[in-house]
Amino acid sequence: MNIIKKIIDSIFIFIFAGAMLSFAAIKDELLKTNDIIAIKWCYGRDLIQQQVWEKYLGFYLYTEQMEDGRYILRVQVYNTLLSSVFDNYWLNYSKPIAIVADKRTAQKEWGKIVCKADGNIEIGNKGYILPQNFIRWN
């Protein structure tokens, strides 16, 4: 009985250590979800992929805090709908598109993403257009 208890204890310790290592590896990505302002999936007319689910672009608008307390607003683009964390995807990070005083301002002024019929992406209340050369396929 003592050997079985040690084996079970070892298994639980191994699982706990694995969970902690996994959390440490993805901690930054998990914490980034607190900074998301808006998400929008748009149909990409000019995409090369054949499958319907791969003809969409996901636009994730998020903030990054600067040292002075203000926030940089960025867009992250995914090229396919993900059905599993192990799916392959291509993403691109933008240069900063705005600097805002706080997250409430970012949400209020920039929280709208609109997929335009001409393929452009409009972000925010002032109609910022995400440039086409941002969405590049190299």
Side-chain angles (χ1 to χ4, degrees), residues 2-136:
N2 204 10
I3 292 175
I4 294 174
K5 184 179 182 319
K6 287 183 180 182
I7 291 172
I8 291 172
D9 288 346
S10 297
I11 290 172
F12 282 121
I13 289 171
F14 180 73
I15 291 171
F16 179 76
M20 291 297 107
L21 288 173
S22 297
F23 177 75
I26 62 172
K27 178 185 67 143
D28 291 338
E29 291 300 316
L30 289 174
L31 293 175
K32 187 187 293 185
T33 60
N34 289 334
D35 299 324
I36 292 177
I37 299 299
I39 299 172
K40 181 76 172 188
W41 284 87
C42 299
Y43 185 72
R45 297 179 310 159
D46 300 327
L47 300 182
I48 297 169
Q49 292 93 345
Q50 299 301 313
Q51 291 85 1
V52 171
W53 60 85
E54 291 183 340
K55 291 186 179 278
Y56 288 87
L57 295 175
F59 296 89
Y60 287 64
L61 188 64
Y62 67 96
T63 59
E64 290 179 358
Q65 189 167 17
M66 298 170 44
E67 290 180 9
D68 65 1
R70 297 181 301 161
Y71 291 85
I72 297 173
L73 197 63
R74 295 184 185 271
V75 176
Q76 183 175 2
V77 179
Y78 288 88
N79 77 330
T80 185
L81 294 173
L82 303 177
S83 58
S84 165
V85 294
F86 300 106
D87 283 349
N88 291 328
Y89 63 90
W90 178 88
L91 60 89
N92 188 12
Y93 293 94
S94 76
K95 296 177 182 173
I97 61 173
I99 295 178
V100 293
D102 55 41
K103 287 185 183 182
R104 183 181 300 263
T105 302
Q107 180 67 43
K108 184 177 176 184
E109 295 179 8
W110 292 93
K112 180 178 82 171
I113 301 175
V114 177
C115 307
K116 306 296 260 182
D118 61 2
N120 287 324
I121 307 304
E122 183 179 318
I123 301 173
N125 295 336
K126 296 178 183 174
Y128 174 86
I129 299 294
L130 189 66
Q132 283 294 321
N133 63 359
F134 171 72
I135 307 166
R136 62 185 186 279

